[in-house]
Amino acid sequence: MTEVSGSYPTGEGEPRRQPPGTPCWTSLLVHDLEATQEFYGGLFGWTYYDPGPRQLGPYVRAALDGHDVAGIGELPPGRQLAGAWTTYLASDDADVTAEWIHCCGGTVGVGPLAAEDAGRLVLAADPAGASFGVWQGQKPAGPQLTGVPGTPVWHELVTYEAPVMLKFYRALFGYETKAAGSVDSDTITLHADGRPVAAIRGKGDTSQRPHWLTYFEVADVDAAARRVTELGGRVLQGPAPGPAGPVATVEDPQGAVLALRRSAS
């Protein structure tokens, strides 16, 4: 697992173009927006603001030191969907990518549609059922920090159909690939424009729904995992050593799964 770096500079200035397939934003859909804000504010120190009217319902952006780091939206009343983090992958043309999703066996649930005046988005699922987003636009939500505690640092597809899903995502975004770690590793790193941007990790347990997992940087994984429990979430796995630093997989009080990582220096 390798950190995604160089996507957005720290500080002012325009970000460079995102190569297709690069994770460029992450957002969370929940049933209780206020309770979720309290949980992640207590865990990561996030503050929040309302960016204004939105087509998809109540929504806030999470920020650190004035920089946007994630989005949180509230599900419509009565929707029985579980809360989940969604990774958005950059595209030069969201409409064309949506057509390819259909052609390759995936499902488009929302879009393509205009997201205010900032770009176009698609919400979709791959053939195994893992949800993801597609974003066409120079920047999804303003400048981002990278490598700072409380910010997304890596994205990984966890699926029990890794070879099939690899073909699907390569067809969409033209990824180059590389096995991570040992020869028999079940993790494949996805490269865009010659740099690692995400990974696909095969999982033999078919009882776990395939999903994109967002890793968030923390200063201390053990302390952050304890804080998750104190705030009403639970630890699913770890903390344990990882190839890029110690990692814990946790679940927030509404059931959304995320990972905590302290990157190796």
Side-chain angles (χ1 to χ4, degrees):
M1 183 166 54
T2 308
E3 181 179 349
V4 177
S5 60
S7 298
Y8 285 82
T10 300
E12 300 301 324
E14 288 297 315
R16 71 182 186 181
R17 169 187 169 275
Q18 293 286 296
T22 303
C24 58
W25 186 242
T26 187
S27 68
L28 175 63
L29 286 176
V30 299
H31 292 281
D32 189 331
L33 186 57
E34 183 176 350
T36 300
Q37 290 178 248
E38 291 180 4
F39 174 82
Y40 287 99
L43 180 61
F44 295 137
W46 287 350
T47 58
Y48 306 93
Y49 70 95
D50 183 346
R54 186 169 178 268
Q55 291 171 281
L56 302 180
Y59 177 81
V60 297
R61 286 182 184 156
L64 282 172
D65 298 326
H67 297 267
D68 294 342
V69 294
I72 305 176
E74 190 167 68
L75 288 162
R79 293 292 297 271
Q80 299 304 310
L81 297 174
W85 281 98
T86 299
T87 295
Y88 283 78
L89 305 173
S91 170
D92 289 338
D93 190 322
D95 295 78
V96 171
T97 302
E99 292 178 8
W100 273 104
I101 290 170
H102 281 301
C103 292
C104 296
T107 303
V108 173
V110 175
L113 56 81
E116 293 89 32
D117 59 352
R120 292 180 66 76
L121 68 83
V122 174
L123 292 175
D126 66 28
S131 298
F132 66 101
V134 175
W135 180 267
Q136 175 193 345
Q138 184 68 10
K139 50 184 180 180
Q144 285 188 320
L145 300 172
T146 57
V148 175
T151 62
V153 70
W154 186 246
H155 298 263
E156 188 172 82
L157 174 65
V158 182
T159 184
Y160 53 82
E161 295 185 344
V164 176
M165 293 307 100
L166 174 58
K167 293 179 181 178
F168 172 80
Y169 287 99
R170 287 188 72 174
L172 296 185
F173 301 112
Y175 291 121
E176 298 173 351
T177 59
K178 180 179 179 182
S182 61
V183 175
D184 60 350
S185 172
D186 60 355
T187 300
I188 299 172
T189 304
L190 306 177
H191 293 247
D193 278 9
R195 69 187 186 97
V197 296
I200 296 178
R201 174 158 54 94
K203 193 168 184 65
D205 181 8
T206 58
S207 65
Q208 184 182 34
R209 183 180 177 85
H211 61 280
W212 277 90
L213 180 65
T214 302
Y215 288 71
F216 290 89
E217 184 75 21
V218 295
D220 184 317
V221 174
D222 293 271
R226 289 194 298 270
R227 186 63 175 148
V228 166
T229 303
E230 294 168 358
L231 292 167
R234 64 187 184 119
V235 177
L236 302 178
Q237 188 174 6
V247 174
T249 304
V250 302
E251 185 179 74
D252 72 19
Q254 296 190 56
V257 177
L258 61 148
L260 309 173
R261 190 184 92 181
R262 182 178 182 273
S263 299
S265 56

